[in-house]
Amino acid sequence: MASALENFVNSVRTHSSSGLFEELATHLLECDELLNKNWNILDNVLETLNVSQHSLGVLYVLVAKFNCAANLNLDADAIFTLFKDFIEQCDIYQVQLAAHVYYELCHLFTKKMVTQSSCIYALNVLAAAINQIRSSESQLTPIHADLCKLSLKSKCFKVALKYLDTDITSITTASETRVHKPVEDPNGDAEYFLLYYYYGGMIYTAIKNFERALYFFEACISTPAMAMSYIMLEAYKKFILVSLILHGKIVPIPKYSSQVISRFMKPIAQVYHAMAIAYATASSEELRAVINKFSETFLRDNNMGLVKQVATSLYKKNIQRLTKTFLTLSLSDVASRVQLPTAALAEKYILNMIKSGEIYASINQKDGMVIFKDDPEKYNSSEMFLKIQQDMDKTMNLIKKINVMEEDIILNPMYVKKAIGSQDEDITSQQAKPYSSDPID
């Protein structure tokens, strides 16, 4: 083993045995180049270190090893085993001192596993990595985006949904742990934040939870920004499509959103706005014409599946409009009014909408008549009372969280200093400004 690496190992073992982990974490910040240069003998280093006792040292070695995986001919199975063993055995206190390196290790692991057909096996391991590093269930980490990415690749959403269904109240970033080192990628934390909401929106879209999907895409595009992000642009396109499916129109963007949307995103996404204009006419023929005209764009954006669902939703919206006008209607009339080709297809749509609770109706098979009904829910059942109670409890808990967050902000020294500075500036400007009624000599 090279003498420089021997010094590295000795330093890790000495500091760890003495419990000087913070000092070791600072020292290891300068060891990246050394480990990357000696990539061919990193296995020897790992053999001399214990994962639980020397977690900081092993963490840096694994990052260097994963970075040089191509040179080492490391296959996915070897990377999976190394990562899994580290997550299961590492000392969380040591890892938290170098959280940015821990996040980098997870990103490298995801980058390798997402190319494998067996990436589904990595989901639970990555979930365990998140649980190790986060301080609460409602804290967002940069690894959340990796988990969502693997979930989309494997088409297995069960693990990711446990995290997506939890509303975020705090965020941890890689830059928070780089106090002794310049930030190499200042936009890295923002990227993983945007990707979490973008991938999350895609997952909810896949399971047809459009209300939650719309929220995630909105969170992505309304993130404060000084320049346009490709992630935000793609989220904006899907935001338009999900808005049409859910509400039949483009939902207004929050007022606090960046001007980037109106200046750059809207002109680039003109095709999707053209689709929204056609949708507003309630004419399925016009909507199909727009879809056919810009089909290449939708295919290039990988949004054709969602576009087809928009077309389907227009048929449903038109059927729902009929329930407000007619009590009974023949299947052939329904097909004609909503521009479906056959009565059989109209019957299929109506049956699916009845099953999903989108309309309340029955079909008389003898004469082919549809009987539209009112919503049978009277809001007086024990189940409905329990649901209202649960919603009220959820709202009260949310209010408590908001109050705690507001108190933390008010007591934050940086906020207090800025607030006092703003007040001083206002007082100074008011004193310097003459009154309009001042006499003029």
Side-chain angles (χ1 to χ4, degrees):
M1 189 185 299
S3 59
L5 275 184
E6 289 178 355
N7 292 334
F8 169 84
V9 172
N10 292 333
S11 178
V12 169
R13 296 176 68 131
T14 302
H15 282 83
S16 298
S17 61
S18 303
L20 302 174
F21 296 115
E22 292 187 17
E23 186 177 321
L24 176 60
T26 304
H27 170 69
L28 291 177
L29 290 171
E30 309 300 328
C31 294
D32 292 344
E33 186 177 352
L34 169 67
L35 294 172
N36 288 328
K37 281 183 178 179
N38 294 276
W39 57 267
N40 57 327
I41 54 175
L42 291 178
D43 285 337
N44 297 338
V45 178
L46 288 176
E47 289 175 1
T48 61
L49 299 176
N50 180 280
V51 174
S52 58
Q53 296 177 14
H54 313 119
S55 298
L56 271 170
V58 174
L59 175 60
Y60 272 85
V61 173
L62 286 179
V63 168
K65 194 174 179 67
F66 284 13
N67 272 320
C68 303
N71 296 331
L72 293 166
N73 293 321
L74 268 182
D75 59 16
D77 291 338
I79 289 178
F80 179 86
T81 302
L82 285 168
F83 184 80
K84 182 174 181 291
D85 290 345
F86 178 78
I87 296 301
E88 291 176 349
Q89 301 173 36
C90 70
D91 175 39
I92 189 58
Y93 172 72
Q94 294 185 49
V95 165
Q96 287 175 337
L97 295 174
H100 66 287
V101 186
Y102 183 81
Y103 298 147
E104 185 180 355
L105 181 69
C106 293
H107 297 330
L108 292 170
F109 173 74
T110 302
K111 185 178 180 181
K112 181 63 177 180
M113 296 308 299
V114 80
T115 62
Q116 307 299 310
S117 58
S118 59
C119 61
I120 188 172
Y121 298 109
L123 292 175
N124 286 326
V125 182
L126 207 55
I130 293 175
N131 296 337
Q132 285 268 48
I133 200 69
R134 65 178 180 175
S135 60
S136 68
E137 290 186 357
S138 60
Q139 186 179 58
L140 178 65
T141 73
I143 317 173
H144 280 70
D146 293 328
L147 181 64
C148 292
K149 185 177 183 178
L150 279 176
S151 296
L152 286 167
K153 176 64 178 180
S154 63
K155 297 181 181 178
C156 178
F157 309 130
K158 184 177 180 180
V159 177
L161 283 170
K162 294 178 183 178
Y163 298 88
L164 292 169
D165 289 340
T166 303
D167 289 324
I168 300 300
T169 59
S170 64
I171 302 172
T172 180
T173 63
S175 59
E176 291 175 359
T177 62
R178 293 172 177 158
V179 290
H180 301 294
K181 181 181 180 181
V183 178
E184 297 175 358
D185 183 10
N187 297 319
D189 293 325
E191 177 185 355
Y192 288 109
F193 174 87
L194 293 174
L195 284 174
Y196 168 72
Y197 282 101
Y198 177 63
Y199 290 150
M202 291 177 68
I203 290 173
Y204 279 120
T205 301
I207 62 173
K208 298 189 184 302
N209 187 344
F210 295 118
E211 187 171 347
R212 190 72 174 166
L214 189 66
Y215 165 73
F216 268 66
F217 289 135
E218 181 185 286
C220 183
I221 63 178
S222 60
T223 300
M226 298 299 293
M228 187 181 71
S229 162
Y230 183 74
I231 302 169
M232 294 175 70
L233 174 60
E234 293 305 305
Y236 182 65
K237 294 174 182 177
K238 288 178 170 60
F239 173 83
I240 293 174
L241 297 176
V242 174
S243 292
L244 293 176
I245 293 172
L246 197 60
H247 299 289
K249 61 181 180 179
I250 300 177
V251 176
I253 303 295
K255 293 181 179 179
Y256 55 80
S257 301
S258 171
Q259 293 296 319
V260 170
I261 295 176
S262 58
R263 290 180 181 178
F264 302 105
M265 293 189 190
K266 285 185 178 179
I268 295 176
Q270 276 301 318
V271 170
Y272 294 85
H273 281 277
M275 190 173 179
I277 293 171
Y279 196 103
T281 65
S283 171
S284 298
E285 292 181 356
E286 287 193 30
L287 182 61
R288 283 198 301 271
V290 172
I291 293 173
N292 292 332
K293 181 179 179 181
F294 301 110
S295 59
E296 290 185 6
T297 301
F298 297 136
L299 286 169
R300 187 178 64 248
D301 293 342
N302 292 317
N303 284 331
M304 183 54 81
L306 201 52
V307 166
K308 290 180 179 179
Q309 292 184 64
V310 172
T312 299
S313 73
L314 182 56
Y315 290 123
K316 292 182 177 181
K317 288 286 192 300
N318 287 336
I319 291 174
Q320 287 176 331
R321 289 189 183 98
L322 295 179
T323 66
K324 299 177 182 179
T325 308
F326 299 95
L327 292 175
T328 59
L329 206 61
S330 67
L331 287 171
S332 57
D333 281 341
V334 172
S336 174
R337 290 176 183 275
V338 302
Q339 299 176 349
L340 283 167
T342 64
L345 190 56
E347 181 180 6
K348 183 179 178 181
Y349 268 92
I350 292 172
L351 289 173
N352 288 334
M353 292 177 73
I354 293 172
K355 186 178 180 180
S356 62
E358 294 174 86
I359 62 170
Y360 302 96
S362 61
I363 300 177
N364 188 330
Q365 296 291 346
K366 291 183 179 180
D367 53 13
M369 295 296 293
V370 182
I371 303 170
F372 297 116
K373 302 176 181 179
D374 294 329
D375 185 352
E377 180 59 63
K378 302 300 180 183
Y379 299 96
N380 58 0
S381 64
S382 58
E383 292 82 3
M384 182 54 67
F385 176 78
L386 180 61
K387 184 180 184 303
I388 292 174
Q389 188 65 44
Q390 289 173 344
D391 289 345
M392 289 176 63
D393 291 341
K394 187 176 181 180
T395 302
M396 293 302 294
N397 289 331
L398 183 60
I399 291 173
K400 289 179 182 178
K401 288 182 179 179
I402 292 174
N403 289 336
V404 171
M405 293 172 70
E406 183 181 22
E407 185 176 349
D408 290 341
I409 293 173
I410 291 174
L411 297 178
N412 188 300
M414 293 180 64
Y415 172 81
V416 173
K417 184 177 179 180
K418 187 173 182 180
I420 293 175
S422 299
Q423 291 176 3
D424 291 342
E425 289 178 4
D426 292 340
I427 293 173
T428 303
S429 61
Q430 289 177 4
Q431 291 176 344
K433 184 178 179 180
Y435 290 102
S436 57
S437 57
D438 284 350
I440 302 174
D441 293 335

